């Protein structure tokens, strides 16, 4: 139960950081949080480690754990790189993906669709994450897969946050289907373009994301 408890605590703290409850630069007190969540300090430490992987906190030896919010320029730069890397994955996967893997991606999309109909953002994100991880694997390039997974972890809180924007779940679902259709057709350029548009946070999506983060920046 400890890993699951740490995951729940990490997601709760993630939300509190993004909504401004914990401001940029704030020190997270391990003892106070253990009391707040009625747990030992072990799952709190594990939650800190999870948050550190996504870059939302910085662990400084002998000083403690501090909230670190990326600025808008850093955030858009990371999403630009993520979109480019996933586009390479899609281009390679359009050449290499197996029929079984295509069916697997369609099955995940079906679960995503159920989450859309239920309005369940958290369930959608979990299946959405599986979808992207499958795409990385189907690139057939292990190094690229690991680099995508690393940056995906870094952007996880913000990818989850943008799914809460009004109408975004249905839009994301349609983009997933366009990616799979292009992969099935062996359309390298189409698959790359579809996933790039899906991942890139620009224009209206970027403004909405920044607005959602605004309380944390004030």
């Amino acid at each position: 139960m400890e890993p699951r408890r740490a995951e729940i605590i990490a997601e709760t703290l993630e939300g509190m950081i993004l909504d401004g409850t914990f401001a940029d630069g704030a020190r997270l007190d391990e003892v106070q949080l253990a009391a707040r969540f009625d747990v030992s300090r072990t799952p709190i430490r594990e939650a800190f480690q999870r948050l550190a992987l996504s870059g939302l906190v910085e662990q400084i030896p002998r000083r403690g754990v501090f909230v670190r919010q990326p600025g808008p320029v850093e955030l858009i730069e990371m999403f630009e790189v993520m979109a480019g890397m996933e586009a390479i994955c899609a281009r390679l996967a359009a050449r290499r993906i197996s029929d079984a893997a295509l069916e697997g991606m369609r099955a995940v999309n079906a679960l995503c669709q159920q989450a859309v109909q239920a309005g369940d953002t958290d369930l959608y994100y979990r299946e959405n994450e599986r979808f992207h991880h499958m795409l990385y694997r189907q690139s057939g390039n292990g190094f690229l897969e690991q680099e995508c997974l690393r940056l995906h972890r870094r952007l996880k809180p913000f990818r989850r946050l943008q799914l809460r924007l009004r109408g975004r779940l249905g839009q994301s679902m349609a983009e997933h289907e366009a990616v799979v259709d292009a992969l099935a057709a062996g359309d390298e350029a189409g698959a790359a373009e579809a996933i790039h548009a899906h991942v890139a946070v620009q224009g209206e999506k970027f403004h909405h994301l920044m607005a959602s983060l605004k309380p944390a920046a004030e």
Side-chain angles (χ1 to χ4, degrees):
M1 289 296 293
E2 286 298 312
R4 178 59 183 156
R5 183 175 297 173
E7 181 181 351
I8 293 170
I9 292 171
E11 290 182 3
T12 302
L13 291 175
E14 172 190 299
M16 296 171 77
I17 291 170
L18 295 179
D19 71 12
T21 300
F22 293 119
D24 189 33
R27 183 178 181 276
L28 298 181
D29 189 286
E30 187 179 290
V31 175
Q32 289 182 1
L33 289 173
R36 180 174 192 155
F37 289 101
D38 192 25
V39 295
S40 70
R41 293 163 70 174
T42 297
I44 299 297
R45 291 171 183 160
E46 292 175 359
F48 286 167
Q49 290 172 0
R50 291 170 185 264
L51 292 172
L53 284 174
S54 66
L56 279 180
V57 303
E58 183 178 8
Q59 296 177 301
I60 302 177
R62 294 183 296 280
R63 288 189 58 198
V65 177
F66 297 84
V67 172
R68 182 187 178 279
Q69 282 275 24
V73 173
E74 182 183 0
L75 195 58
I76 197 66
E77 287 176 345
M78 287 190 290
F79 270 105
E80 283 179 347
V81 172
M82 187 83 262
M85 290 170 66
E86 294 208 26
I88 297 171
C89 285
R91 189 177 294 276
L92 293 172
R95 303 177 200 168
R96 300 170 175 172
I97 193 166
S98 66
D99 289 340
L102 272 173
E103 286 307 307
M105 293 186 80
R106 288 193 177 103
V108 170
N109 268 355
L111 293 172
C112 284
Q113 184 60 54
Q114 291 177 20
V116 172
Q117 292 170 349
D120 190 333
T121 305
D122 290 336
L123 175 59
Y124 185 90
Y125 182 80
R126 289 195 295 272
E127 297 305 326
N128 172 73
E129 191 171 50
R130 285 181 60 203
F131 179 89
H132 287 271
H133 289 183
M134 292 173 77
L135 178 66
Y136 307 159
R137 173 61 56 88
Q138 292 308 308
S139 72
N141 184 311
F143 177 80
L144 178 60
E145 179 185 1
Q146 291 306 309
E147 290 302 300
C148 284
L149 288 170
R150 182 185 61 80
L151 187 51
H152 189 109
R153 284 193 297 269
R154 179 70 177 82
L155 286 170
K156 183 173 181 176
F158 307 100
R159 295 181 79 148
R160 191 203 309 272
L161 182 64
Q162 66 153 331
L163 289 174
R164 298 191 177 116
L165 302 175
R166 184 168 55 85
R168 181 58 190 149
L169 286 186
Q171 183 184 36
S172 177
M173 184 69 245
E175 292 164 359
H176 274 204
E177 291 174 341
V179 170
V180 173
D181 287 345
L183 292 175
D187 181 356
E188 297 179 25
E193 181 179 351
I195 198 67
H196 190 282
H198 174 62
V199 175
V201 173
Q202 54 195 4
E204 186 179 2
K205 278 201 293 185
F206 180 68
H207 291 306
H208 282 312
L209 181 59
M210 288 299 99
S212 298
L213 292 171
K214 188 176 180 182
E218 291 177 341

